[in-house]
């Protein structure tokens, strides 16, 4: 209590209310737990943050809201906010990094007498208040800070090997789609191949929607002159490069089913 009494006497001329007197008690309990006060307000990046055990200038300028800033031994910033609600004080202590908040409600009349002339006359039941502050405000926040700093970061945790994943009986195996190209089809992964056959019906990739009744599986040269015949023409019956119409539509023998051909008169491949 000696240090707390010295603190009270150092600001006795600044005290304006019983709430001010209780703020000095709360502040001293925070300081006694290894924190240092580095200013007022909740701006953690404020300049000129000189650490001290004393209350900073302007600490009680706002009688409805006290905001003090502290740093622990690891330089982590904590914010103490004390709100006045009638005759009560709502105390919140927050670790900025972890966003952990502890709170307590203190009744002014339970611990102050209203006489601010001296330390002994100003307070009552201080031992009870000190134990309550330590248990519900300070220990909870420091315990959270210690557990947060000692926990292993996720990046350093050992990763499960792929071999282990492949042998996991509960794991759904990934699908490996068949990627062999289909004859007569363009690569579907090539965005520039879309519509290429329609723009160049006589190109090497095929005629797009143009159906070749003589080679339904794709272009493999000129038309088959034996289409529609029950047998095959003898070798040399059609000279190389000669224009030759088949004997008839493919109905029997080699060629597709006649039902696959377009209807009569539908001979414009550009329609």
């Amino acid at each position: 209590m000696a240090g707390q009494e010295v603190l009270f006497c150092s600001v006795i001329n600044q005290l304006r209310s019983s709430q001010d007197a209780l703020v000095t008690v709360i502040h001293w309990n925070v300081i006694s737990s290894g924190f240092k006060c580095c200013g007022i307000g909740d701006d953690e990046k404020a300049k000129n943050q000189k650490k001290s055990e004393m209350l900073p200038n302007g600490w009680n300028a706002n009688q409805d809201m006290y905001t003090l800033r502290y740093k622990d031994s690891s330089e982590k910033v904590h914010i103490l906010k004390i709100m006045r609600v009638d005759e009560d004080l709502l105390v919140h202590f927050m670790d900025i990094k972890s966003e952990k908040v502890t709170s307590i409600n203190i009744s002014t009349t339970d611990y102050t007498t209203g006489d601010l002339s001296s330390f002994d006359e100003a307070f009552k039941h201080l031992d009870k208040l000190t134990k309550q502050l330590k248990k519900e405000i300070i220990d909870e926040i420091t315990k959270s800070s210690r557990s947060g700093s000692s926990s292993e970061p996720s990046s350093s945790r050992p990763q499960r090997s792929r071999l282990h994943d492949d042998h996991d009986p509960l794991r759904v195996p990934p699908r490996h789609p068949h990627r062999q190209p289909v004859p007569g089809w363009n690569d579907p992964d090539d965005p520039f191949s879309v519509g290429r056959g329609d723009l160049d019906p006589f190109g090497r990739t095929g005629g797009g929607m143009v159906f070749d009744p003589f080679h339904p599986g794709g272009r493999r040269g000129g038309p088959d002159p034996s289409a529609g015949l029950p047998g095959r023409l003898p070798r040399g019956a059609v000279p190389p490069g000669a224009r030759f119409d088949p004997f008839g539509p493919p109905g029997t023998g080699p060629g597709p089913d006649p039902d696959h051909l377009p209807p009569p008169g539908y001979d414009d491949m550009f329609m």
Side-chain angles (χ1 to χ4, degrees), residues 50-109:
K50 182 179 179 181
K51 294 185 291 184
S52 173
E53 295 184 355
M54 306 301 293
L55 283 165
N57 293 331
W59 63 274
N60 63 343
N62 187 342
Q63 289 286 293
D64 295 322
M65 172 73 76
Y66 304 83
T67 305
L68 298 171
R69 191 169 59 253
Y70 298 85
K71 285 186 177 181
D72 61 10
S73 57
S74 60
E75 296 296 313
K76 288 197 298 183
V77 179
H78 294 68
I79 301 297
L80 176 67
K81 284 195 174 184
I82 305 172
M83 293 178 288
R84 179 178 179 177
V85 181
D86 295 330
E87 297 300 320
D88 292 345
L89 292 180
L90 301 181
V91 182
H92 303 284
F93 196 37
M94 177 180 181
D95 181 346
I96 294 294
K97 184 176 181 179
S98 66
E99 297 185 352
K100 168 74 175 179
V101 180
T102 56
S103 302
I104 191 176
N105 185 7
I106 301 175
S107 175
T108 305
T109 57

Side-chain angles (χ1 to χ4, degrees), residues 37 65 78 119 130 150 154:
C37 186
M65 172 73 76
H78 294 68
F119 177 80
T130 298
S150 61
S154 58

Side-chain angles (χ1 to χ4, degrees), residues 98-147:
S98 66
E99 297 185 352
K100 168 74 175 179
V101 180
T102 56
S103 302
I104 191 176
N105 185 7
I106 301 175
S107 175
T108 305
T109 57
D110 288 346
Y111 302 104
T112 60
T113 62
D115 184 357
L116 304 179
S117 59
S118 67
F119 177 80
D120 293 331
E121 298 294 333
F123 302 104
K124 58 183 179 181
H125 311 307
L126 270 189
D127 290 340
K128 178 182 177 181
L129 178 59
T130 298
K131 292 179 181 178
Q132 189 177 8
L133 288 171
K134 179 175 175 56
K135 178 181 178 180
E136 300 184 28
I137 291 289
I138 300 170
D139 286 352
E140 287 295 322
I141 207 76
T142 54
K143 179 174 64 176
S144 174
S145 298
R146 286 194 299 268
S147 61

